[in-house]
Amino acid sequence: LARLWAVSPVIQKRKEEYWTQLEQAQRGDLDITPWLMFAISCVTHAYAEAGQCIDRVTQIAWFWVRHRTADLNQRQRRALELALSSQELDDGWLTNRRYMKLSQASNSVTAARDLASLETQGLIRKDPESKGRSTRYQILL
């Protein structure tokens, strides 16, 4: 059985607090309650991160189920797969430049045509706030 969540990355992010709590537990009055509260908060945070990961994977799976019959070329499929698998916060958005990079499209005209096709098919939507070279599209999970 594979482990879905891990506490060590959470502790790594909170390394300074970890060492402070550990030192206080060892050198103080031997009351380990603060240490236990810290450890419990780390486990709780790791559990919440695992839940977010499961939610994201579920959204992506349903995205592909809904669009299994979409008429996608290899560039479009590649760009969507890479954008959806990224861990970056702003990766729900595609721009012409980002699409070219992800899909390895040969030029911006091809990228624009592919993005327009994805929008027409309902896989992405244009951000109404963006225009011209800054036009960006959100993947509709």
Side-chain angles (χ1 to χ4, degrees):
L1 181 65
R3 181 173 53 193
L4 179 61
W5 58 278
V7 178
S8 58
V10 174
I11 292 175
Q12 185 67 27
K13 290 177 196 168
R14 298 170 66 182
K15 194 178 348 184
E16 203 170 300
E17 185 181 1
Y18 168 81
W19 288 113
T20 301
Q21 290 291 340
L22 186 59
E23 185 175 344
Q24 287 176 358
Q26 291 175 341
R27 297 180 190 251
D29 59 6
L30 301 181
D31 178 10
I32 63 166
T33 304
W35 166 252
L36 291 174
M37 296 303 291
F38 170 76
I40 289 168
S41 74
C42 288
V43 170
T44 303
H45 190 78
Y47 182 74
E49 284 184 357
Q52 291 171 351
C53 179
I54 290 168
D55 289 345
R56 174 83 174 155
V57 168
T58 302
Q59 286 178 331
I60 292 168
W62 279 112
F63 173 86
W64 288 116
V65 166
R66 281 192 318 274
H67 301 296
R68 68 182 169 272
T69 60
D71 185 24
L72 302 177
N73 62 40
Q74 287 180 332
R75 290 183 309 274
Q76 291 168 322
R77 183 167 297 280
R78 176 183 166 80
L80 289 170
E81 287 172 351
L82 291 174
L84 291 172
S85 67
S86 177
Q87 298 297 316
E88 298 299 316
L89 293 177
D90 200 30
D91 281 345
W93 296 96
L94 289 172
T95 61
N96 195 299
R97 174 177 276 168
R98 182 159 187 250
Y99 181 85
M100 283 180 61
K101 182 179 174 185
L102 293 174
S103 69
Q104 298 176 340
S106 58
N107 57 55
S108 63
V109 174
T110 300
R113 187 175 51 244
D114 284 355
L115 286 167
S117 171
L118 290 171
E119 184 180 22
T120 301
Q121 294 182 67
L123 282 81
I124 62 174
R125 80 170 164 82
K126 190 182 291 188
D127 179 8
E129 303 292 318
S130 65
K131 295 178 182 162
R133 295 180 122 196
S134 302
T135 300
R136 62 185 196 160
Y137 301 83
Q138 183 177 29
I139 300 173
L140 297 174
L141 289 178

